[in-house]
Amino acid sequence: MLGAEGTGLRQLTRKTCDALVSIPMRGAVESLNVSVASGICLYEAVRQRGSA
């Protein structure tokens, strides 16, 4: 699940998730669109698991 900026996920949706993560933002970037945010999350998951 990917939530909207600001409001995030609805409370009931949050309760059904196994884990919640957020992307730390630095500098002048105020928000990311959902495709960029999902790409960052997938990249980090692959990085932490090690490349096959």
Side-chain angles (χ1 to χ4, degrees):
M1 305 261 169
L2 295 168
E5 59 188 57
T7 57
L9 299 171
R10 292 182 180 177
Q11 189 64 29
L12 184 58
T13 305
R14 291 173 66 92
K15 288 180 181 178
T16 61
C17 294
D18 293 330
L20 298 172
V21 299
S22 62
I23 300 170
M25 305 292 285
R26 292 186 183 171
V29 178
E30 293 183 20
S31 66
L32 302 172
N33 66 36
V34 72
S35 65
V36 173
S38 60
I40 291 169
C41 291
L42 290 171
Y43 173 83
E44 183 61 15
V46 170
R47 187 189 70 79
Q48 287 185 15
R49 292 181 182 151
S51 53

